[in-house]
């Protein structure tokens, strides 16, 4: 399997997972707190819309930059439209890897896709938690992202991106291991959020 195809498959799986999480959101929930510090659910949805737009542009145009927000009557509609567009772009992309310009740097498209998949998966989980519904990251997706996360989020680069890993008590499913590594307390039902994140993987 080509590197980009592998990265695209991860991005598609994460986008599909995040898209399904949006189905839980109702208008009264938009002011709810989320596992992301200082972000309510509406802000989180807008952030994920931006991240999905950046990933779509990286896949389709080989660069990242200002992305026009998709049309829609609210944050849920905008995010659903953007995730659907990302899925269509990923499905149509060719298998050959290529460089993506990010500021003055260039990264392989496969690396960008895996980074984007991590972002979409963890925020898909955040959306579900904000809605009060346990919905683990799919095991197959979580296992692969767990293997790459220490490279994408090394200990010295967490500030402004993710909180410190959360210790787990006993065995855990891959989805719980992933969210704990990215600074969140695995969801255990109603109660205050103990996990925390500081921002976006795209902000570095």
């Amino acid at each position: 399997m080509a590197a980009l195809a592998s990265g695209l498959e991860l991005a598609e799986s994460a986008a599909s997972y995040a898209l399904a999480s949006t189905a839980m959101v109702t208008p009264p929930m938009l002011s709810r707190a989320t596992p992301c510090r200082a972000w309510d659910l509406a802000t989180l949805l807008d952030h994920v819309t931006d991240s999905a737009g950046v990933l779509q542009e990286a896949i389709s145009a080989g660069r990242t930059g200002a992305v026009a927000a998709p049309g829609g009557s609210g944050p849920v509609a905008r995010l659903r439209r953007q995730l659907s567009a990302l899925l269509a772009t990923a499905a149509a992309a060719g298998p050959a890897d290529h460089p993506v310009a990010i500021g003055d740097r260039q990264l392989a498209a496969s690396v960008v896709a895996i980074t984007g998949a991590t972002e979409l998966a963890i925020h898909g989980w955040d959306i579900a938690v904000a809605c009060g519904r346990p919905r683990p990251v799919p095991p197959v997706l979580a296992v692969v992202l767990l293997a790459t996360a220490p490279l994408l989020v090394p200990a010295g680069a967490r500030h402004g991106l993710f909180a410190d890993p959360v210790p787990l008590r006993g065995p855990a499913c891959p989805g719980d291991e992933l969210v704990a590594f990215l600074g969140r307390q695995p969801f255990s039902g109603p109660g205050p959020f103990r996990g925390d994140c500081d921002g976006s993987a795209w902000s570095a």
Side-chain angles (χ1 to χ4, degrees), residues 42-84:
T43 304
L44 174 61
L45 295 172
D46 285 341
H47 168 74
V48 181
T49 299
D50 291 342
S51 295
V54 169
L55 180 55
Q56 181 188 4
E57 185 185 30
I59 293 170
S60 63
R63 66 177 185 276
T64 63
V67 179
S73 57
V76 178
R78 288 193 296 271
L79 176 53
R80 292 183 65 84
R81 189 182 298 270
Q82 182 61 73
L83 288 171
S84 296

Side-chain angles (χ1 to χ4, degrees), residues 3-170:
L4 179 58
S6 177
L8 285 177
E9 287 181 354
L10 291 172
E12 288 182 84
S13 178
S16 295
Y17 167 73
L19 183 60
S21 291
T22 66
M24 304 178 191
V25 183
T26 62
M29 294 179 179
L30 294 176
S31 61
R32 285 188 178 185
T34 75
C36 296
R37 183 171 57 201
W39 287 1
D40 62 15
L41 183 53
T43 304
L44 174 61
L45 295 172
D46 285 341
H47 168 74
V48 181
T49 299
D50 291 342
S51 295
V54 169
L55 180 55
Q56 181 188 4
E57 185 185 30
I59 293 170
S60 63
R63 66 177 185 276
T64 63
V67 179
S73 57
V76 178
R78 288 193 296 271
L79 176 53
R80 292 183 65 84
R81 189 182 298 270
Q82 182 61 73
L83 288 171
S84 296
L86 170 60
L87 285 168
T89 297
D97 208 347
H98 59 82
V100 174
I102 302 178
D104 59 355
R105 297 181 295 170
Q106 286 197 334
L107 295 175
S110 55
V111 174
V112 175
I114 294 169
T115 303
T118 303
E119 173 99 347
L120 295 177
I122 195 62
H123 287 320
W125 183 87
D126 291 333
I127 292 167
V129 170
C131 293
R133 299 277 297 277
R135 192 166 179 270
V137 176
V140 173
L141 175 62
V143 165
V144 180
L145 295 182
L146 266 171
T148 59
L151 301 176
L152 297 176
V153 191
R158 281 182 172 264
H159 180 68
L161 298 174
F162 300 100
D164 292 336
V166 173
L168 292 171
R169 297 178 180 176

